[in-house]
Amino acid sequence: MRFTTGVALSALIATSAAGQTAPQNPPTQERPQTAPAGQAAGRVDPAAATAPRAPRMITQSEFKLADGIIATVNDQIITGFDLRQRMLILILMSNIQPTEENIGAIQQEALNALIDERLQAEELRRYEDLVVSDEEVDAEIANMAEGAGLTGEQYMAVLEQSGIRAAPFREQIRIGIGWRQLVGGRFSARARVGRAQVEQRMRQDAEAAAKPAYQIGEIYIDAARVGGMQQAVNGARQLIQQMIQGAPFQAVASQFSSAPSAIRGGDAGWVVQGTVQPALQQAFDNLDVGELSNPIVVDGGVYIIYMRDKRDGSAATQVSLKQVMVELPENATPEQVSAASSRLTSLQPQLTCDNMLQRATSEQGLLGSDLGESDVRNLAPQFQQVASTGAVGSVSGPVRTPLGLHLVGVCGRRLGGPQAPTYEQVERRMQTEGLSLLGRRYIRDLRADALIEMK
C-alpha cells in the first residue's frame, strides 16, 4: 500500500462528548502491560452478548469533525462528512457509548471501513453486469431491522433522527451486497469443499469431543490496522468496558473485530484444549462461563475472549466398529490365550475395515461381526480405549474380554448428541470460512496496490 500522511487525522476531532479534544496515544515499540491473561475483566449479560438491540439515538453534538477532504483513495475522496456519517453508523450498530477515551478508536475503525469500501466500489465498477437492485438493498435493511425488533421504516427513522442520511447508508449496504456477490462469484470454485474434506473435518470434531473444549466469542484487534500495539490494547479496554455496561458482544465483534469470525458476530465455535497460543489457553482455562477476558496480547494484535460455554471432554462420541475374534472361555489356559494372540497378531496387519469380515468367514476358527455404531460410553470397558483413541480405519491388536480375543476395527467416528453438526452444516461452515479468507486477501491486495493519502 502506498500511504502518505499530511496532517494527522486525529487532529480532525474538534470536540468529544465532553467538549474536549480527544487524547492522543503516541505509538510505542514496547509490549504493552496488561492484566494477567487468565484474569476476567467482568461478566457479560448473556442476553446482551447474543441478542441484537434496537440502536439508540445519537445526536450530532456528541462529537464533531472538521469538514473538507480528509483522504483520497486512488482517485476517490473521503470527506469529514463521510467519516462523521460512518462513525455514527458504527456507534449505532455496535451500541457502544462514545467517550473521550474511545472516540479515537471509533474514528480509526470508521476510516479503515471507508477506505475498504472505496476500494470495493472501485473494483465493483469493473464488473458492469454486477448490479445490486434497490429491492436487494431494501431486503437487507429489513433483515437488519428485524434483528433489532423494528420494521424497516422504524429502523431508518432511528438512523435519520440520529443524523445518518439515508443515501450514504443505502450506498454502504449496496456496496456490501455487491462485494459479497463478487467474492462469492469469483472465488466460489476455490472455496468449494469436497466430501473427503468435510468428512475429515467431522472426524476431527469427533476426535476433539474427547478433549476439554471451550465455546468462545472472540474479538481480535489487529495492531497494524489501528496504529500500533498500545492503541490496540487501549481500544480493547474501551470495548470491554462498553460490553460490561451492556453493549452486545455480537454487535461489537461485527463492527470492530478483524478476525474471520466477525461475520458471525465473533462466534469462533468450539476450540479444543491445546490448539491455541499459550496466552489464549491460559485465559480459556481460567475464565468462567459468562466472563469476559482482559486484553490478551499476542503477536500482531490483541484478543478479547468471551467464554460462552465449556465442556470437559465427555461429549457423546459415536463410533462404528467391526471385529474379528477367537472365542475363548474365561478360564482358558495361558497356552490357549498365547496361541490365539499369536494368530490374531499375525493376521492384524492384513486387515482393514473393508476386508476383515470376509477374512473372518474364510478362515476356520475365526468369527467376524459388524458391531454397528455405538456411543463410546456404552461399549464394553475393554473396547472403550480402542474406540476413543484408535485412528479411523485402524485395526487394533488383540483385546481380551470374557468372550475371547478380539481385533477391533475403528471404521467411523462422529460427534453425537444434539450439539453434533450435520454434514451440510459442516460443509456450509467450511465454505463460508474459505470465502471469508479469500475476501480478506482480496481487499488486502487492493490496499497494497492503492495510493492512499491523508490530507
Side-chain angles (χ1 to χ4, degrees), residues 3 6 14 70 77 130 133 139 170 192 196 224 229 264 289 309 345 357 360 371-372 388 419 426 445:
F3 189 96
I70 62 172
I77 65 171
L130 204 168
S133 67
R170 290 180 63 86
R192 190 175 298 123
M229 189 65 79
R264 301 185 300 275
V289 174
D309 199 2
T345 298
L357 298 186
L371 301 178
S388 297
Q419 61 189 323
V426 174
D445 292 343

Side-chain angles (χ1 to χ4, degrees), residues 17 58 101 106 113 145 167 204 218 264 267 324 338 417 443 445 449:
I58 299 171
E101 291 78 12
I106 294 170
Q204 291 171 343
E218 64 176 359
R264 301 185 300 275
D267 181 7
V324 171
S338 178
I443 195 67
D445 292 343
D449 293 336

Side-chain angles (χ1 to χ4, degrees), residues 293-362:
S293 76
N294 277 299
I296 303 170
V297 176
V298 298
D299 289 342
V302 178
Y303 275 97
I304 303 168
I305 298 299
Y306 170 55
M307 186 58 63
R308 299 183 185 278
D309 199 2
K310 289 186 175 185
R311 68 184 184 212
D312 60 7
S314 59
T317 302
Q318 305 291 316
V319 290
S320 299
L321 303 178
K322 295 179 181 179
Q323 69 164 346
V324 171
M325 67 174 293
V326 175
E327 286 189 296
L328 289 173
E330 282 192 83
N331 60 354
T333 66
E335 290 77 13
Q336 290 174 314
V337 174
S338 178
S341 180
S342 295
R343 181 180 183 186
L344 291 176
T345 298
S346 65
L347 181 63
Q348 186 263 346
Q350 307 169 37
L351 298 181
T352 66
C353 284
D354 293 331
N355 70 10
M356 60 192 308
L357 298 186
Q358 181 182 1
R359 289 295 300 270
T361 58
S362 65

Side-chain angles (χ1 to χ4, degrees), residues 211-427:
K211 302 177 182 178
Y214 318 85
Q215 188 181 33
I216 67 163
E218 64 176 359
I219 295 173
Y220 177 66
I221 311 297
D222 187 336
R225 184 177 172 87
V226 300
M229 189 65 79
Q230 187 63 61
Q231 284 82 351
V233 171
N234 293 343
R237 287 176 177 147
Q238 290 300 316
L239 293 179
I240 289 166
Q241 289 303 311
Q242 293 285 336
M243 288 183 285
I244 291 174
Q245 293 167 14
F249 182 92
Q250 285 188 339
V252 174
S254 296
Q255 297 299 319
F256 287 93
S257 179
S258 293
S261 61
I263 195 173
R264 301 185 300 275
D267 181 7
W270 286 95
V271 179
V272 178
Q273 186 181 68
T275 61
V276 296
Q277 301 178 57
L280 291 173
Q281 184 62 60
Q282 183 182 354
F284 291 176
D285 290 338
N286 293 340
L287 288 173
D288 291 329
V289 174
E291 286 187 335
L292 197 66
S293 76
N294 277 299
I296 303 170
V297 176
V298 298
D299 289 342
V302 178
Y303 275 97
I304 303 168
I305 298 299
Y306 170 55
M307 186 58 63
R308 299 183 185 278
D309 199 2
K310 289 186 175 185
R311 68 184 184 212
D312 60 7
S314 59
T317 302
Q318 305 291 316
V319 290
S320 299
L321 303 178
K322 295 179 181 179
Q323 69 164 346
V324 171
M325 67 174 293
V326 175
E327 286 189 296
L328 289 173
E330 282 192 83
N331 60 354
T333 66
E335 290 77 13
Q336 290 174 314
V337 174
S338 178
S341 180
S342 295
R343 181 180 183 186
L344 291 176
T345 298
S346 65
L347 181 63
Q348 186 263 346
Q350 307 169 37
L351 298 181
T352 66
C353 284
D354 293 331
N355 70 10
M356 60 192 308
L357 298 186
Q358 181 182 1
R359 289 295 300 270
T361 58
S362 65
E363 297 194 23
Q364 188 174 3
L366 296 181
L367 295 175
S369 60
D370 187 337
L371 301 178
E373 186 179 69
S374 302
D375 188 323
V376 170
R377 296 170 295 188
N378 295 333
L379 295 171
Q382 297 89 341
F383 285 2
Q384 287 185 6
Q385 180 68 22
V386 172
S388 297
T389 62
V392 174
S394 67
V395 178
S396 74
V399 176
R400 181 70 163 113
T401 74
L403 300 177
L405 276 177
H406 311 252
L407 298 180
V408 181
V410 182
C411 303
R413 183 184 287 113
R414 67 179 180 86
L415 185 63
Q419 61 189 323
T422 65
Y423 178 95
E424 290 74 18
Q425 289 172 330
V426 174
E427 182 181 41

Side-chain angles (χ1 to χ4, degrees), residues 25 60 63 89 94 165 169 206 220 270 277 286 307 393 427:
N25 295 311
Q60 290 277 12
F63 59 85
I89 292 171
S94 63
R165 306 285 180 82
F169 179 73
Y220 177 66
W270 286 95
Q277 301 178 57
N286 293 340
M307 186 58 63
E427 182 181 41

Side-chain angles (χ1 to χ4, degrees), residues 8-227:
L9 181 64
S10 299
L12 290 170
I13 299 181
T15 61
S16 68
Q20 299 176 354
T21 302
Q24 304 302 309
N25 295 311
T28 177
Q29 300 301 317
E30 297 181 359
R31 195 176 183 86
Q33 296 296 312
T34 62
Q39 181 176 323
R43 300 191 67 84
V44 175
D45 177 4
T50 59
R53 298 191 304 185
R56 72 181 186 88
M57 290 178 55
I58 299 171
T59 63
Q60 290 277 12
S61 62
E62 290 194 81
F63 59 85
K64 296 179 181 179
L65 295 172
D67 289 325
I69 298 174
I70 62 172
T72 59
V73 182
N74 292 333
D75 60 349
Q76 301 180 86
I77 65 171
I78 296 173
T79 68
F81 171 80
D82 297 329
L83 183 56
R84 184 165 56 249
Q85 288 283 298
R86 185 54 56 93
M87 290 175 70
L88 286 169
I89 292 171
L90 190 62
I91 292 167
L92 279 168
M93 297 303 178
S94 63
N95 268 284
I96 64 173
Q97 304 292 319
T99 66
E100 288 183 53
E101 291 78 12
N102 68 21
I103 196 71
I106 294 170
Q107 176 191 338
Q108 185 63 56
E109 186 63 31
L111 178 62
N112 282 326
L114 284 169
I115 291 172
D116 287 349
E117 188 176 290
R118 293 296 190 270
L119 293 171
Q120 290 167 353
E122 185 176 52
E123 189 71 1
L124 286 168
R125 285 195 289 272
R126 296 176 52 203
Y127 299 86
E128 296 181 358
D129 57 339
L130 204 168
V131 178
V132 179
S133 67
D134 289 340
E135 290 74 19
E136 290 176 282
V137 175
D138 292 338
E140 182 89 353
I141 293 174
N143 287 335
M144 297 168 67
E146 183 179 0
L150 301 172
T151 66
E153 292 76 11
Q154 291 171 331
Y155 195 84
M156 292 304 297
V158 171
L159 266 59
E160 290 173 4
Q161 291 174 35
S162 300
I164 297 172
R165 306 285 180 82
F169 179 73
R170 290 180 63 86
E171 185 62 16
Q172 175 189 343
I173 300 298
R174 193 184 306 276
I175 293 172
I177 295 171
W179 182 253
R180 291 199 302 270
Q181 293 176 355
L182 175 59
V183 171
R186 184 170 180 178
F187 299 117
S188 59
R190 290 173 59 182
R192 190 175 298 123
V193 292
R195 174 166 290 275
Q197 293 171 289
V198 176
E199 291 175 345
Q200 181 182 18
R201 174 69 70 86
M202 295 181 75
R203 286 195 297 270
Q204 291 171 343
D205 290 345
E207 299 281 356
K211 302 177 182 178
Y214 318 85
Q215 188 181 33
I216 67 163
E218 64 176 359
I219 295 173
Y220 177 66
I221 311 297
D222 187 336
R225 184 177 172 87
V226 300

